[in-house]
Amino acid sequence: MSTIETKKVKFKVFRFNADEDYLPYYDEYDMDVTSEDVVLDVLNRIKWEHDGSFSYRRSCRHGICGACAIKVNGRSTLACKERMFDMVELFGEELTLDPLSQKRAIKDMIIDKGDFWEKHAAVTPYLVADIEEEPESENIVSPEDEHKLLDADLCIQCGACHYACPVVEINEEYFGPAAFAAAYRFSADVRDEDKERLKNVNKMGQGVWDCVKCFECAEVCPKEINPIEKITKLHQMAFQEGVAENNVAVRHAVGFKKSIQKRGVLDEGGLVLYSEGCGIVKHVPVALKMFKKGKIALPWNIPTSENMDEIKKLVKSSSTAKF
Amino acid sequence: MSKLKYALFTGCTAKQSTPEQYMSTMAVAKKLGIELVELVEASCCGASHLQDYDEFLSLVLNARNIAYAEKHGLTMVTICNTCQLNTAMTKHKLDNDPELKAKVNEKLAEVGLEYKGTSKITHFLYAIIDDIGLDKIKEMVVKPLSQFNIAPFYGCHNIRPSELANEGHKTPESPYRPTSLDDLIIACGGEAVDYEEKNKCCGFHVELQAPKTAAVLTGNAIAGAMDNNADMMVTPCPLCHLKLDTQAEHAGEAIGRELEMPVLHMQQMVGLALGCDPKELGLQHHVVDVNFV
Ligand code: SF4
Ligand code: SF4
Ligand code: FES
């Protein structure tokens, strides 16, 4: 039998009561944590042994309800799943506990998750299908078709990814990784007949084209759902289903193929011109600065890959998407 | 130790908007006694944008690039985080899906190539750390950067997704507490600045479609370094470099404060410490002057 180890940890804990406090503050607690503890055990002990007014959400204690996500040293995590010792190993013996989003804090670890739910609702997170009430046979989904959903079904809506996403913080319209994973879940379902959802998540500002591809969501998800994988699929589906709009983001993606077909390597200036069209003028001031420093290759100096014939042939034979 | 030899995948920017990155890669490799065989046949990695449009095509093109490294029997070294992500992701997908690999190879056969999966793929930063070693770098330093506070900026695609990133190198790196670049700064004699944004995103990939998001992210990164008394930033990624070096003014407007920060490529920092000539490292190609060396 393995023995239980203990470590001393200093916790800095975010405290705030929206009804009473003008500003948040941190309380410090020195506690022993054991190799058996998960983060939630520490939250419980703070409440039970130190301060009964300390507030946080939890219910299932089994990684199912999605209520207990918080941040440890800035990292989103599911409190009932994350092992304390792993956190100590990663960040050392001083740990800071914060709510998922400080600016949305209501009381201590509890936040107003309203924006998360609004965005979830906005992507039509259900099957839209005209199904007969009394069908003659079952609506069978083949294992291959089921497999296409990947693991998007496993989301517990904990919000860990949403509040780790840098774009959610900057752009209020942006749906966020969990909503996109949900959108993918239903748009990839063979029974679903809703094209509006795909159009909706492809709109600039709110949609997938505003994702910065930072992979924070893939990293934090306690269910290993990899939301950005679904975001990439939604991009691809927009082309497959013919809903991709002719905008700067779409032209940018398509422009890569055009450039590769021509030179193998990218013609950076050409790509910006193709993507932006007349919008290119706004890049002129920076481009001039760059030009002065020898950072812009003139058309006759843009390199071309060797064995271009191979690249041209492969682009022709291996293309699977149209715009 | 036999001479280190790699297949170099330069990526596109090193030949256009960040010429200094190519120059400094060559200069540092020479100093370190590394032989680089440039993959002149390689095409663009798709930068994760082609992947949004046509995934299969991007796999075929990246597999072709890797096949050339395999032909040389060499590890492929990348000098751009996003090139690293896209080539490594291609390798991961093909090595774990025989059916997909066969499909891709069917296409490559048309041009007489085959993807086998025999070459490792790693970013130059990790090649230096894993194959040369920080101790050796420390020994070789002739101009320690001891008077400088240097803020490491890791760039997303070298550290996330971590499972993939860690396939390429020996010392696993935590995306929440990365250390490689800090260690390299220290090996070069500098002081590594700790700040919140060092493992965050620079916003490069939405520069065109979401300029505000891109500018705020760049702004936060530079501001974080400035607020922690950095004299300069250093990054292994030319795309991050482009944002930090050429977009500081926009970024400053977006977050409402003046920003300016000299930014070195990882190779330039090592080069300076090893005594390379600043000209040879291409410092004259920066928008924000690096005039203290
Ligand atoms: S990859 Fe996209 S969705 Fe995921 S956290 Fe980053 S910006 Fe947000
Ligand atoms: S995708 Fe993962 S991290 Fe995001 S809400 Fe769902 S379970 Fe939580
Ligand atoms: S308490 Fe339900 S997921 Fe943690």
Side-chain angles (χ1 to χ4, degrees):
Chain A
M1 227 185 86
S2 63
T3 48
I4 298 176
E5 282 179 68
T6 307
K7 279 180 184 158
K8 289 208 178 306
V9 177
K10 184 184 273 307
F11 288 99
K12 269 180 68 192
V13 184
F14 178 92
R15 305 299 307 267
F16 181 63
N17 182 346
D19 287 337
E20 291 168 10
D21 299 328
Y22 181 58
L23 286 173
Y25 56 97
Y26 284 87
D27 271 340
E28 288 190 8
Y29 304 102
D30 290 308
M31 291 165 68
D32 286 338
V33 301
T34 75
S35 47
E36 304 279 280
D37 286 338
V38 290
V39 175
L40 183 60
D41 293 314
V42 169
L43 298 181
N44 285 336
R45 288 217 298 279
I46 293 173
K47 186 173 184 71
W48 298 338
E49 295 166 14
H50 295 274
D51 182 351
S53 76
F54 179 60
S55 305
Y56 52 100
R57 287 196 179 109
R58 85 273 177 271
S59 175
C60 71
R61 217 221 66 178
H62 279 94
I64 292 299
C65 73
C68 67
I70 62 161
K71 282 189 179 172
V72 179
N73 282 32
R75 179 198 172 187
S76 297
T77 190
L78 205 59
C80 70
K81 187 180 175 214
E82 194 73 70
R83 298 210 148 268
M84 246 0 283
F85 267 36
D86 288 346
M87 292 292 91
V88 175
E89 198 187 318
L90 183 59
F91 295 117
E93 268 134 40
E94 274 192 37
L95 296 175
T96 307
L97 308 182
D98 279 301
L100 276 184
S101 166
Q102 290 192 354
K103 71 178 182 202
R104 295 172 179 86
I106 297 172
K107 190 155 189 295
D108 305 332
M109 299 296 125
I110 298 178
I111 63 163
D112 175 357
K113 230 168 124 180
D115 68 313
F116 177 89
W117 296 116
E118 264 168 41
K119 282 158 179 178
H120 181 69
V123 300
T124 329
Y126 46 82
L127 205 67
V128 179
D130 210 4
I131 292 173
E132 272 178 66
E133 271 181 41
E134 288 173 47
E136 279 179 21
S137 62
E138 288 172 85
N139 251 306
I140 294 176
V141 175
S142 70
E144 295 83 62
D145 283 335
E146 193 274 339
H147 186 70
K148 286 196 194 116
L149 307 183
L150 304 168
D151 32 21
D153 241 350
L154 302 180
C155 174
I156 56 172
Q157 275 117 30
C158 68
C161 60
H162 187 79
Y163 298 110
C165 171
V167 182
V168 167
E169 281 307 294
I170 297 169
N171 169 1
E172 279 181 14
E173 283 175 65
Y174 188 62
F175 285 147
F180 291 136
Y184 176 76
R185 156 66 188 83
F186 294 101
S187 284
D189 193 309
V190 282
R191 298 163 299 179
D192 188 77
E193 288 159 4
D194 182 26
K195 274 219 174 166
E196 288 309 309
R197 184 191 304 108
L198 199 55
K199 281 189 195 154
N200 203 19
V201 298
N202 264 283
K203 289 219 175 80
M204 300 277 282
Q206 64 191 30
V208 287
W209 295 100
D210 280 54
C211 165
V212 293
K213 302 173 187 292
C214 67
F215 286 79
E216 296 271 9
C217 54
E219 205 61 53
V220 298
C221 175
K223 292 286 167 184
E224 288 170 31
I225 282 167
N226 196 351
I228 185 175
E229 176 193 35
K230 278 71 189 173
I231 291 172
T232 306
K233 296 269 179 214
L234 287 168
H235 281 121
Q236 294 160 4
M237 282 167 82
F239 292 105
Q240 287 151 11
E241 306 284 325
V243 306
E245 285 173 36
N246 188 353
N247 59 35
V248 56
V250 167
R251 285 193 300 272
H252 187 226
V254 175
F256 271 79
K257 175 172 154 185
K258 292 201 180 293
S259 214
I260 290 170
Q261 197 166 18
K262 214 165 136 200
R263 301 182 174 273
V265 297
L266 219 57
D267 165 0
E268 294 174 339
L271 177 69
V272 177
L273 180 61
Y274 174 75
S275 312
E276 290 278 20
C278 300
I280 189 111
V281 289
K282 63 174 170 287
H283 298 290
V284 169
V286 171
L288 276 176
K289 278 195 230 168
M290 290 174 67
F291 182 72
K292 269 197 227 154
K293 299 292 186 149
K295 291 173 99 52
I296 292 191
L298 292 166
W300 49 91
N301 281 335
I302 297 165
T304 303
S305 306
E306 304 268 310
N307 301 3
M308 257 324 286
D309 52 321
E310 293 175 10
I311 295 170
K312 287 199 163 130
K313 201 164 173 185
L314 288 174
V315 171
K316 216 171 192 179
S317 74
S318 310
S319 288
T320 59
K322 271 208 183 73
F323 175 63
Chain B
M1 195 166 70
S2 64
K3 195 171 182 194
L4 285 170
K5 191 172 171 186
Y6 304 110
L8 174 69
F9 177 42
T10 63
C12 304
T13 40
K15 292 293 183 71
Q16 292 175 66
S17 50
T18 58
E20 72 281 4
Q21 191 221 4
Y22 181 76
M23 297 164 74
S24 53
T25 300
M26 293 305 168
V28 165
K30 201 166 138 206
K31 274 267 186 243
L32 294 173
I34 294 173
E35 188 180 340
L36 296 173
V37 180
E38 199 175 319
L39 295 171
V40 286
E41 307 87 354
S43 66
C44 168
C45 73
S48 78
H49 297 287
L50 179 63
Q51 283 75 359
D52 287 342
Y53 176 43
D54 193 333
E55 193 187 13
F56 184 68
L57 177 61
S58 77
L59 288 170
V60 170
L61 291 171
N62 278 306
R64 174 179 170 275
N65 294 347
I66 304 168
Y68 272 103
E70 292 177 353
K71 263 182 136 180
H72 292 291
L74 296 171
T75 290
M76 181 197 256
V77 157
T78 59
I79 49 174
C80 166
N81 290 21
T82 298
C83 292
Q84 174 64 28
L85 170 79
N86 289 302
T87 44
M89 200 179 286
T90 301
K91 178 175 172 62
H92 181 92
K93 283 188 176 159
L94 300 187
D95 291 353
N96 290 289
D97 186 344
E99 220 174 284
L100 184 64
K101 185 171 155 186
K103 267 195 212 157
V104 166
N105 271 330
E106 206 178 288
K107 297 293 175 193
L108 290 182
E110 291 171 12
V111 295
L113 289 167
E114 187 190 353
Y115 171 86
K116 297 197 184 80
T118 48
S119 276
K120 259 185 50 172
I121 302 171
T122 189
H123 188 286
F124 197 32
L125 167 66
Y126 297 102
I128 290 177
I129 290 178
D130 286 344
D131 300 345
I132 305 261
L134 291 163
D135 291 337
K136 180 86 202 217
I137 297 286
K138 230 178 265 176
E139 259 172 49
M140 291 179 72
V141 167
V142 292
K143 281 196 180 158
L145 306 172
S146 46
Q147 66 274 45
F148 299 119
N149 291 327
I150 308 176
F153 191 75
Y154 282 82
C156 299
H157 296 162
N158 253 10
I159 54 174
R160 283 182 297 268
S162 57
E163 234 171 279
L164 181 73
N166 282 328
E167 276 178 13
H169 42 82
K170 284 184 201 150
T171 348
E173 177 111 281
S174 161
Y176 300 104
R177 220 184 175 190
T179 55
S180 58
L181 204 48
D182 289 68
D183 294 343
L184 193 60
I185 291 169
I186 295 164
C188 291
E191 191 74 49
V193 175
D194 196 19
Y195 65 116
E196 219 185 290
E197 289 78 14
K198 71 176 178 186
N199 56 352
K200 298 279 171 359
C201 178
C202 73
F204 180 87
H205 290 282
V206 295
E207 174 77 45
L208 298 184
Q209 59 257 46
K212 186 188 160 212
T213 302
V216 171
L217 289 172
T218 303
N220 290 345
I222 302 175
M226 283 171 74
D227 292 344
N228 286 281
N229 296 323
D231 299 309
M232 59 178 115
M233 293 171 87
V234 65
T235 178
C237 180
L239 308 183
C240 294
H241 192 276
L242 275 171
K243 286 292 288 156
L244 301 168
D245 178 49
T246 73
Q247 300 280 338
E249 208 179 301
H250 275 317
E253 283 160 19
I255 65 165
R257 64 183 271 192
E258 237 171 85
L259 299 173
E260 197 179 65
M261 175 64 70
V263 189
L264 296 182
H265 294 275
M266 175 273 293
Q267 295 91 320
Q268 291 175 320
M269 175 183 74
V270 176
L272 287 172
L274 298 184
C276 296
D277 173 43
K279 265 245 150 73
E280 193 192 4
L281 298 170
L283 290 182
Q284 66 280 14
H285 288 299
H286 291 212
V287 167
V288 178
D289 288 334
V290 188
N291 45 18
F292 43 72
V293 286

